[in-house]
Amino acid sequence: MLASAGMAQAGTVAVWGESPFGVSLAGINNFYNTYGGHTSSIVAGQLNTIDLGSVDLLWAIQPSDSYTAAELNTMAGFLAGGGRIAFMGEHGQIAPNENLRINAALSFLGSTISIQFDQVLDGGFRSASKLDGQIKTHALTDGVETYQYAAYAPLTVSGTGEILMTGEDVPGSVMMAYQNIGPGSIFLITDQNVWDGAGSLWGGFDNEVMFDNLVEGKTGAPPVGGVPEPTTWAMMIAGMALTGAMMRRRRVSVSFA
């Protein structure tokens, strides 16, 4: 795992899943092997049989069947160890069942982000930017001024989930979001077209920076082991001080016959 999410350093990526609608697992894999000094590999088989011990980011792509209980528990353990999972769905006219399977996994993992069923927005290739407000200012979008995308299924975001990008045709519709689950993080997108220009066709867009940030960008998740926040430390210190004062009072109390 990366030593510090705030430091730019190489990470390890695993690309896993099916490709029922033509998304190139090899394209994602090749990108990470040629950008940012990362190491990436395509992994196959049941997730619970794959060694994720050194993996920082797991791409979980368009499941053609439901995740098994063992796979879901493996995802939960991966997040508990500080791992990051990027789920890739697709817009609802193409992959409604795949999106439902991703939603089931998100619910199991405790996420309050989900894909809206059987919907598609922003058909055709588009350009989002920070200038137009579609790309939200966040540590995970550092260096991402423009982003190329196409048709997507909108997301529902509540609780501690955070919006990273919104669409164009329906203002406020969410096309990319993330959520911290304990020390781990979940990312969700529903547009495989964002990878169509990987490595050569993104041109002036910053897609490569966005996908690099998924590995090493600062998410704000607590470290593995749960080091208390400053306010928690203050409460603990105050509690210990009060306990110490009570013990001193007991030692100096005198009783008379």
Side-chain angles (χ1 to χ4, degrees):
M1 298 292 175
L2 295 176
S4 172
M7 296 175 62
Q9 52 186 308
T12 302
V13 179
V15 183
W16 174 71
E18 285 77 34
S19 181
F21 308 109
V23 61
S24 174
L25 275 64
I28 299 172
N29 186 60
N30 292 340
F31 165 76
Y32 282 110
N33 278 321
T34 56
Y35 191 91
H38 304 305
T39 300
S40 181
S41 60
I42 298 174
V43 296
Q46 297 290 311
L47 188 63
N48 52 294
T49 67
I50 298 169
D51 182 8
L52 299 176
S54 63
V55 173
D56 300 296
L57 174 66
L58 171 68
W59 274 92
I61 297 171
Q62 296 173 353
S64 58
D65 51 19
S66 297
Y67 296 119
T68 67
E71 288 177 327
L72 292 171
N73 284 321
T74 298
M75 291 181 188
F78 181 63
L79 292 171
R84 302 176 177 196
I85 303 175
F87 287 98
M88 180 190 289
E90 182 50 275
H91 69 71
Q93 290 183 359
I94 289 182
N97 293 325
E98 286 74 12
N99 290 347
L100 287 176
R101 295 176 189 126
I102 291 173
N103 279 349
L106 293 169
S107 177
F108 176 87
L109 296 169
S111 175
T112 53
I113 301 172
S114 62
I115 305 169
Q116 296 179 29
F117 182 68
D118 201 23
Q119 293 193 41
V120 55
L121 295 177
D122 288 9
F125 278 96
R126 308 290 183 101
S127 172
S129 72
K130 280 186 177 167
L131 187 62
D132 64 20
Q134 287 181 254
I135 301 174
K136 307 306 176 184
T137 300
H138 192 281
L140 287 169
T141 61
D142 278 353
V144 184
E145 300 300 321
T146 60
Y147 179 82
Q148 184 188 57
Y149 71 101
Y152 68 94
L155 311 180
T156 297
V157 181
S158 62
T160 59
E162 295 195 42
I163 298 169
L164 295 177
M165 292 191 195
T166 56
E168 181 178 30
D169 287 348
V170 180
S173 63
V174 181
M175 67 174 176
M176 184 186 298
Y178 94 101
Q179 186 170 24
N180 291 326
I181 306 293
S185 302
I186 285 173
F187 306 97
L188 180 59
I189 63 174
T190 57
D191 172 20
Q192 69 182 43
N193 297 293
V194 296
W195 281 103
D196 285 351
S200 60
L201 301 177
W202 282 330
F205 298 100
D206 298 319
N207 291 42
E208 74 277 7
V209 180
M210 184 69 244
F211 297 136
D212 180 50
N213 287 352
L214 298 191
V215 183
E216 60 187 25
K218 189 173 182 180
T219 65
V224 177
V227 176
E229 295 292 330
T231 54
T232 305
W233 275 118
M235 292 174 64
M236 291 171 62
I237 292 170
M240 287 186 287
L242 179 60
T243 301
M246 292 176 65
M247 292 178 66
R248 287 194 296 273
R249 289 182 61 187
R250 286 177 185 151
R251 284 199 297 270
V252 300
S253 62
V254 180
S255 61
F256 296 92

